[in-house]
């Protein structure tokens, strides 16, 4: 938005600052409901878990650097390997993509002043933190989950795993799913109802389409995982027999329910990366995304089709031929929407004027790894190929090219891209490019040899291997690559920390970005927008007449909403103005409620049912307090 000088406009802005000002200090962070602060909390918490998961990965790779390694014993290896997977998926990638990027950016991109349910948003974060700490308490006390991140039965049954390690896993994931489900519902309502008037669905940024698809996928996928974990706890604690073949149960029930969640989860992880890519590519090619409607549709289709391919993880368990053929065909169909997006990214790059700054480099790396991981993935749609390579390192290679190369690289690019917006400072371009190339080299050296050693027959999840099988050179290069990769990530952190204190001032729009977050100061004010922005396309910052119109609206006091803690709501499809909503401000109830729920799960784990009942009563009491003061009364 152009510089504001009109005295009446400045008066309105000052009033907005007073109304929306966040409480300072620790208490302010504990009680905040501001989506930006919650996004920052998600960011730093998930990065801490990323550091833990990365350390676990380095321990695993160090153990496997030579045959008959002794860095970790078999029990420690099982826990380390399991927690690496659990941490990276449930405590890092999903929280940082939806919790950090989604929370911070989505309201800014749609011209809203907050999420639809700010207190629920804060509650989601505190539950996420509680669930992560819950599972790591198990690790610290020597009872960390140890049956692999997909926790197959009967290995996870009480008979073969009698301690509390699996209980930390099952209860921790049920706990964690509360956070993800609440966050997903919040995103769906925010996207449908809080878009700035004028932002019809066809004018919504592709980033928001990706998060809409992810949110629906989370809502429909997580119940399967939660039910699976509930069944497992009932088996382990109360003697039910959902997975006990000897009493009419079925061990494959666990796998079906897990992968009904597990395969959509791959797209839950990667779709935010698609959204970030579709934000960065137009900015650095100075071109609108090619085939915009097709890309939006493809993002939705990827999430939808992802629910129909879960059994391709189970081709080796003895399913009927007709079943495996169906899922093989479905696995091939999911390539179509992915290929549409790939075509759009590449065509936009080729037909635009690309400037290979650091954020775009990470997106180029993402595209390279996505192609490699996609090609190895489609191989698993060939049933005999899948049956030969199930549970080998070839699967690990494919999975990491997709999850780390294709999902995490855009997140790292996004860190650089939106760093100036969040901090008001520019990052160091030279260090940024160096961190990319080191991480890219390390990733390739770590994960590509896994294809070869997998073809040679090395199974996954083994803590050591003999010297005479020819796997040593590949494991050596993978371990060296993992340390190079870690060095690249450390350089990224050094760059961003240094830039936070020493970087030059960024200004509101250092890259000429296309979406609304670049129309406001860096870092954004507490109220986000001084005036609810005018929208006439999906690239509002490239419509200068609309930004000039915003200044006139501010001068006239139109859509400023400086009479209260308010944001406008709009109609679902066409984005017509609907009503003005009163939004809640700081509240202690989300963190208190999350703390009481943590107590409930801790008591279930330890078997103190009376204490659990007390905590349940406290949860109910905190919910009464939560709703005792509604926003319009605050």
């Amino acid at each position: 938005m152009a510089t504001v000088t009109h005295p009446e406009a400045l008066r309105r802005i000052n009033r907005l600052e007073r109304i929306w000002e966040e409480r300072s200090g620790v208490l302010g962070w504990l009680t905040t409901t501001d989506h930006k602060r919650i996004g920052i909390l998600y960011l730093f918490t998930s990065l801490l878990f990323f550091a833990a998961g990365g350390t676990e990965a380095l321990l695993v790779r160090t153990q496997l650097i030579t045959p008959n390694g002794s860095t970790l014993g078999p029990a420690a290896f099982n826990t380390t390997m399991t927690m690496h997977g659990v941490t990276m998926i449930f405590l890092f990638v999903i929280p940082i993509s939806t919790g950090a990027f989604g929370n911070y950016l989505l309201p800014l991109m749609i011209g809203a002043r907050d999420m639809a349910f700010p207190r629920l948003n804060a509650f989601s974060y505190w539950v996420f933190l509680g669930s992560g700490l819950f599972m790591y308490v198990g690790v610290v006390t020597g009872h960390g989950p140890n049956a692999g991140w997909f926790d197959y039965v009967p290995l996870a049954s009480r008979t073969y795993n009698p301690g509390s390690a699996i209980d930390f896993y099952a209860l921790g994931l049920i706990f964690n799913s509360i956070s993800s489900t609440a966050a997903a519902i919040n995103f769906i309502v925010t996207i449908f109802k809080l878009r700035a008037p004028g932002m019809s669905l066809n004018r919504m940024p592709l980033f928001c389409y990706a998060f809409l698809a992810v949110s629906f996928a989370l809502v429909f996928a997580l119940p399967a995982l939660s039910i699976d974990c509930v069944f497992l706890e009932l088996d382990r604690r109360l003697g039910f027999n959902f997975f006990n073949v000897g009493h009419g149960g079925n061990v494959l029930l666990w796998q079906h329910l897990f992968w009904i969640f597990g395969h959509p989860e791959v797209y839950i992880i990667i779709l935010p990366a698609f959204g970030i890519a579709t934000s960065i590519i137009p900015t650095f090619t100075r071109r609108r995304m090619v085939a915009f409607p097709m890309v939006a549709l493809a993002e939705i289709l990827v999430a939808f089709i992802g629910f129909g391919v879960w059994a391709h993880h189970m081709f080796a368990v003895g399913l009927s031929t007709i079943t495996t053929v169906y899922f093989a065909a479905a696995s091939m169909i999911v390539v179509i929407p992915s290929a549409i997006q790939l075509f759009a990214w590449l065509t936009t790059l080729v037909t635009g004027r690309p400037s290979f700054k650091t954020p775009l480099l990470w997106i180029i790396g993402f595209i390279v790894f996505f192609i490699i991981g996609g090609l190895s993935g489609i191989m698993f749609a060939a049933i005999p190929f899948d049956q030969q390579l199930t549970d080998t390192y070839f699967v690990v290679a494919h999975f990491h090219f997709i999850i780390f190369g294709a999902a995490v690289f855009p997140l790292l690019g996004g860190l650089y891209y939106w760093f100036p917006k969040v901090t008001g400072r520019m990052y160091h371009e030279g260090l940024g490019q160096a961190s990319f190339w080191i991480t890219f080299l390390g990733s390739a050296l770590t994960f590509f040899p896994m294809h070869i050693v997998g073809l040679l027959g090395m199974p996954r999840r083994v803590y050591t291997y003999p010297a005479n099988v020819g796997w040593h050179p590949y494991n050596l290069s993978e371990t060296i690559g993992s340390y190079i990769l870690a060095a690249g990530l450390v350089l990224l952190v050094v760059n961003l920390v240094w830039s936070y204190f020493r970087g030059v001032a960024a200004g509101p729009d250092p890259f000429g970005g296309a979406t609304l977050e670049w129309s406001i100061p860096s870092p954004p004010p507490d109220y986000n927008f001084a005036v609810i922005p005018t929208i006439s396309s999906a690239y509002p910052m490239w419509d200068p007449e609309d930004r000039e119109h915003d200044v006139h609206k501010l001068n006239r006091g139109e859509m400023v909403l400086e009479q209260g803690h308010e944001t406008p709501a709009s109609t679902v499809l066409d984005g017509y103005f609907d009503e003005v909503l009163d939004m809640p401000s700081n509240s202690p109830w989300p963190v208190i409620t999350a703390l009481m729920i943590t107590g409930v799960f801790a008591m279930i784990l330890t078997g103190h049912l009376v204490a659990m009942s007390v905590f349940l009563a406290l949860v109910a009491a905190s919910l009464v307090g939560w709703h005792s003061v509604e926003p319009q009364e605050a």
Side-chain angles (χ1 to χ4, degrees):
M1 192 168 66
T3 304
V4 175
T5 57
H6 194 285
E8 193 60 23
L10 292 173
R11 185 193 66 77
R12 294 190 176 100
I13 291 175
N14 288 336
R15 181 169 172 77
L16 282 173
E17 287 176 349
R18 290 197 300 274
I19 292 172
W20 287 83
E21 184 179 13
E22 282 286 300
R23 184 181 294 171
S24 60
V26 175
L27 193 61
W29 285 92
L30 286 172
T31 61
T32 186
T33 55
D34 176 37
H35 71 99
K36 300 182 293 297
R37 279 190 160 196
I38 293 169
I40 290 171
L41 287 171
Y42 264 112
L43 176 68
F44 283 103
T45 307
S46 56
L47 286 177
L48 286 175
F49 283 124
F50 183 40
T55 303
E56 288 153 0
L58 289 178
L59 286 171
V60 168
R61 287 310 327 158
T62 304
Q63 164 66 19
L64 296 173
I65 191 170
T66 60
N68 304 309
S70 58
T71 304
L72 298 173
F77 182 89
N78 286 342
T79 299
T80 306
M81 171 266 298
T82 300
M83 284 307 297
H84 166 67
V86 169
T87 302
M88 289 303 193
I89 290 171
F90 296 101
L91 304 180
F92 167 59
V93 180
I94 294 176
I96 196 175
S97 57
T98 57
F101 282 86
N103 260 310
Y104 197 99
L105 295 169
L106 196 137
L108 298 179
M109 285 193 181
I110 63 174
R113 284 189 169 148
D114 208 328
M115 296 288 284
F117 307 116
R119 287 185 291 206
L120 185 66
N121 199 23
F123 172 76
S124 300
Y125 166 73
W126 293 113
V127 169
F128 154 65
L129 177 62
S131 67
L133 293 177
F134 180 88
M135 284 188 273
Y136 267 90
V137 165
V139 177
V140 172
T141 58
H143 300 91
N146 57 5
W149 80 274
F150 36 60
D151 200 57
Y152 280 173
V153 291
L155 180 60
S157 66
R158 177 71 72 186
T159 303
Y160 300 102
N161 213 320
S164 57
I166 301 303
D167 302 313
F168 274 104
Y169 172 94
L171 293 172
L173 291 193
I174 295 170
F175 192 8
N176 185 270
S177 70
I178 296 172
S179 165
S180 299
T181 304
I185 292 170
N186 212 347
F187 279 121
I188 292 170
V189 178
T190 302
I191 291 170
F192 278 148
K193 288 300 296 178
L194 293 197
R195 303 192 311 277
M199 185 179 281
S200 52
L201 281 182
N202 61 327
R203 293 173 179 171
M204 192 169 73
L206 290 168
F207 180 93
C208 303
Y209 275 101
F211 277 79
L212 183 63
V214 166
S215 301
F216 273 113
L218 279 168
V219 168
F220 287 103
L222 282 171
L225 177 65
S226 297
I227 291 169
D228 219 7
C229 291
V230 168
F231 285 173
L232 181 59
E233 281 300 289
L234 290 173
D235 269 17
R236 290 176 56 85
R237 289 170 171 270
L238 300 179
F240 283 54
N241 293 295
F242 289 103
F243 308 118
N244 188 340
V245 177
H247 291 79
N250 190 333
V251 291
L252 290 187
L253 176 62
W254 171 271
Q255 294 195 33
H256 279 294
L257 287 172
F258 184 87
W259 289 115
I260 286 174
F261 154 80
H263 197 81
E265 170 264 344
V266 174
Y267 303 110
I268 288 167
I269 286 173
I270 203 169
L271 272 167
F274 291 174
I276 292 170
T278 54
S279 296
I280 292 176
I281 291 173
T283 297
F284 289 94
T285 58
R286 316 308 304 161
R287 192 198 194 293
R288 299 185 181 211
M289 183 62 67
V290 171
F292 182 100
M294 294 298 291
V295 175
L297 184 62
E299 288 178 347
I300 302 295
L301 280 176
V302 163
F304 179 75
I305 298 174
F307 279 89
V309 300
W310 82 87
H312 84 201
H313 296 271
M314 302 167 59
F315 283 167
V317 303
L319 299 176
S320 68
T321 302
I322 189 65
T323 302
T324 53
V325 168
Y326 163 77
F327 282 102
S331 302
M332 292 181 183
I333 291 172
V334 80
V335 173
I336 296 173
S338 300
I340 290 172
Q341 293 175 89
L342 187 59
F343 168 81
W345 299 328
L346 292 176
T347 308
T348 306
L349 281 167
V350 170
T351 58
R353 292 175 286 119
S355 173
F356 291 100
K357 299 292 185 182
T358 300
L360 187 60
L361 284 179
W362 288 96
I363 299 305
I364 300 296
F366 145 70
I367 292 174
V368 170
F369 286 147
F370 182 62
I371 291 173
I372 296 173
L375 289 175
S376 62
I378 198 64
M379 294 179 191
F380 287 105
I383 298 165
F385 182 89
D386 179 282
Q387 291 172 334
Q388 285 293 315
L389 291 174
T390 288
D391 278 342
T392 68
Y393 258 85
F394 195 94
V395 181
V396 181
H398 156 68
F399 187 71
H400 280 83
F401 267 103
I402 291 295
I403 298 302
F404 190 82
V408 176
F409 265 51
L411 293 173
L412 301 177
L415 283 180
Y416 277 113
Y417 181 53
W418 283 292
F419 179 82
K421 175 53 57 184
V422 176
T423 65
R425 301 276 184 176
M426 286 300 295
Y427 60 84
H428 190 284
E429 182 64 33
L431 289 177
Q433 296 202 14
S435 66
F436 163 75
W437 285 111
I438 293 171
T439 308
F440 183 84
L441 174 65
S443 301
L445 192 57
T446 302
F447 302 126
F448 194 82
M450 291 181 182
H451 291 106
I452 302 170
V453 79
L455 289 170
L456 291 175
M458 181 172 177
R460 61 192 298 193
R461 301 190 293 275
V462 291
Y463 89 100
T464 188
Y465 52 92
N468 60 352
V469 288
W471 300 340
H472 176 217
Y474 305 102
N475 279 285
L476 174 64
S477 72
E478 291 162 15
T479 304
I480 293 172
S482 68
Y483 280 92
I484 294 173
L485 190 165
L489 295 177
V490 169
L491 185 58
L492 181 149
V493 172
V494 169
N495 186 5
L496 296 186
V497 171
W498 180 87
S499 300
Y500 180 76
F501 294 103
R502 299 294 181 86
V504 299
D509 188 13
F511 303 124
T515 39
L516 282 173
E517 74 273 22
W518 303 109
S519 69
I520 56 179
S522 303
D526 293 335
Y527 51 86
N528 289 355
F529 298 93
V531 61
I532 302 304
T534 306
I535 309 294
S536 57
S537 80
Y539 298 91
M541 280 300 286
W542 293 351
D543 299 322
E545 62 279 6
D546 285 350
R547 304 289 66 79
E548 287 295 332
H549 186 56
D550 288 344
V551 176
H552 298 313
K553 284 165 56 182
L554 181 58
N555 292 340
R556 295 195 301 268
E558 179 185 342
M559 293 302 288
V560 177
L561 308 181
E562 80 275 28
Q563 299 306 313
H565 211 258
E566 299 172 338
T567 196
S570 55
T571 58
V572 173
L573 295 179
D574 297 319
Y576 295 140
F577 174 76
D578 192 0
E579 61 179 322
V580 174
L581 302 175
D582 292 294
M583 306 296 285
S585 54
N586 289 33
S587 170
W589 296 113
V591 65
I592 291 173
T593 308
L595 188 61
M596 295 304 108
I597 293 178
T598 305
V600 171
F601 278 91
M603 293 305 106
I604 294 174
L605 179 78
T606 54
H608 294 92
L609 298 184
V610 175
M612 181 201 72
S613 303
V614 172
F615 274 105
L616 277 175
L618 291 173
V619 170
S622 64
L623 288 175
V624 171
W626 180 316
H627 293 284
S628 61
V629 180
E630 291 303 321
Q632 62 272 22
E633 301 166 355

